[in-house]
Amino acid sequence: MLFRHARQLTQKFTVLASLGMAFFLLLLPGKCLAIDNLTILLSEDGAAYTEFATSLSNLLAQGNTAKTSVKIISLPNFKYEDLSRNANNQLLIAVGTPAMTTMAQKPPAMSVLNVLVTHNAFQKIARQYGRNQDPHHFSAIYFDQPWNRQLALIKAALPNRNRIGLLSSKETADLLPGLTTAAKEAELQINMETVNEDADLLPSLRKLLNNSDVLLAVPDAAIYNRYNIPSILLNSYRQKVPLFGFSASYVKAGALAAVFSTASQISQQTTEIIASLPTHGYLPLPQYPRYFTVNVNAQVNRSLSLDVEDESNLMRKLKSATERAP
């Protein structure tokens, strides 16, 4: 569900314009990558997945004189025979949760870097199939943002609103301790309501809105799905409690703001990881996105009589907050 929303991303980015000097140094002519053969396994031929694969292929072609061989396979057409049995100098990138799950169930000889997957999904799949014991061969770049970055956006946009409302289900229960810690560090109060079944949603939402200054959406398909989102947005709008989403499509639909990473931005980070891999091919530990952007719904900002700064100022503040984060 998360990536159906991601497909509707409205803002495009010029990847090369945002590359840092460190990235250029990694890809200077003559730099020989530890990876000779790269397989990109797409969960499906969806827009976000295809955008990632195309962007990654282009970045590698532009920066790598060793000409790493890139093979792109869609999961419906995938056969294990497509993969080499030789793990040396090879890497598989699993794009999306279905591709990640397939690789977790029957590990290939080569290392697997999972992308366009949420922190929660990766942790659950890694535990379920015992891949959490070997993070240097089964790692990830998460698609969702770290809590400190999401809370920093709320503080930057609405500095006088300190009560953060959050709806959770059993799908996101594991994430709550991390949120609680981040909120304490940010001097924010978290109010939570648990939704155990569909009938609980509206009563829990209304109770939460009465005790919250803003509502923070999380990638929980049991709550934030296409059936529930209109009701959640409408009720929060009526109560004048702005919602902070996790994709550009949420902002387009009526959320006040969101911080998110595009598929192209994730591909940029992936390229940097590939370029810096040591000869033994050990992957770095699972990590959150380095590159991100902010969208603000100007109409909602005006309708709720808020005074949220423009996107460029919010981005500047978030980058500063991220740099200071431990």
Side-chain angles (χ1 to χ4, degrees):
M1 177 60 68
L2 174 60
F3 302 113
R4 292 194 183 98
H5 294 306
R7 293 171 194 163
Q8 302 173 18
L9 295 175
T10 58
Q11 186 171 6
K12 298 298 182 181
F13 294 88
T14 305
V15 173
L16 292 179
S18 64
L19 294 179
M21 182 58 68
F23 179 47
F24 279 119
L25 291 174
L26 288 171
L27 297 182
L28 283 174
K31 171 71 177 178
C32 294
L33 302 189
I35 300 300
D36 295 328
N37 296 290
L38 179 69
T39 300
I40 304 174
L41 180 61
L42 307 179
S43 292
E44 61 179 74
D45 293 324
Y49 302 133
T50 302
E51 179 187 346
F52 170 86
T54 301
S55 178
L56 179 61
S57 299
N58 290 340
L59 285 171
L60 289 173
Q62 291 163 0
N64 174 25
T65 57
K67 300 300 181 184
T68 298
S69 174
V70 179
K71 180 192 298 183
I72 301 175
I73 306 173
S74 180
L75 187 59
N77 302 319
F78 170 71
K79 298 178 181 179
Y80 280 96
E81 292 77 16
D82 295 329
L83 301 179
S84 171
R85 296 182 180 180
N86 181 10
N88 294 331
N89 303 326
Q90 302 200 48
L91 175 67
L92 187 142
I93 298 182
V95 187
T97 302
M100 173 180 65
T101 304
T102 298
M103 290 298 100
Q105 291 182 70
K106 190 174 180 181
M110 64 196 73
S111 296
V112 177
L113 178 65
N114 300 281
V115 300
L116 301 196
V117 297
T118 65
H119 174 278
N120 200 33
F122 175 79
Q123 295 295 333
K124 286 184 177 181
I125 291 298
R127 285 196 303 268
Q128 182 177 351
Y129 296 103
R131 301 308 306 274
N132 56 332
Q133 303 299 318
D134 190 17
H136 289 297
H137 290 100
F138 192 81
S139 190
I141 302 173
Y142 304 132
F143 194 67
D144 45 338
Q145 306 296 308
W147 290 124
N148 69 302
R149 188 177 294 160
Q150 296 183 65
L151 296 178
L153 173 60
I154 294 174
K155 290 193 72 171
L158 300 172
N160 297 320
R161 300 200 177 201
N162 298 318
R163 300 179 303 165
I164 314 299
L166 186 135
L167 292 170
S168 69
S169 73
K170 60 182 180 181
E171 288 191 16
T172 47
D174 293 345
L175 300 178
L176 301 183
L179 172 59
T180 302
T181 299
K184 184 176 180 180
E185 293 173 352
E187 299 181 339
L188 295 172
Q189 174 186 328
I190 300 296
N191 297 324
M192 300 183 197
E193 288 291 332
T194 302
V195 178
N196 294 314
E197 54 187 42
D198 289 344
D200 296 336
L201 177 63
L202 286 181
S204 297
L205 174 62
R206 288 164 182 156
K207 181 179 179 182
L208 189 65
L209 293 174
N210 286 332
N211 298 294
S212 303
D213 299 318
V214 302
L215 185 64
L216 176 61
V218 296
D220 186 334
I223 296 175
Y224 290 96
N225 55 56
R226 60 177 178 172
Y227 304 106
N228 296 338
I229 290 171
S231 294
I232 294 173
L233 285 168
L234 181 61
N235 278 272
S236 63
Y237 185 81
R238 285 175 174 172
Q239 290 288 101
K240 298 188 180 299
V241 177
L243 183 141
F244 285 76
F246 50 82
S247 71
S249 60
Y250 271 82
V251 178
K252 185 177 181 179
L256 173 63
V259 54
F260 58 91
S261 299
T262 68
S264 292
Q265 287 175 313
I266 298 295
S267 74
Q268 178 182 337
Q269 186 169 343
T270 303
T271 308
E272 294 175 3
I273 287 176
I274 292 172
S276 61
L277 279 178
T279 54
H280 52 62
Y282 281 9
L283 293 170
L285 294 176
Q287 57 191 253
Y288 282 102
R290 296 172 191 160
Y291 307 105
F292 57 90
T293 193
V294 171
N295 274 182
V296 174
N297 188 315
Q299 183 177 348
V300 172
N301 187 28
R302 290 192 299 269
S303 298
L304 295 180
S305 300
L306 301 173
D307 189 22
V308 176
E309 293 185 83
D310 61 39
E311 294 167 351
S312 61
N313 281 331
L314 291 175
M315 276 291 294
R316 177 178 53 78
K317 290 184 176 181
L318 259 65
K319 286 179 180 179
S320 176
T322 301
E323 290 169 359
R324 292 196 304 269

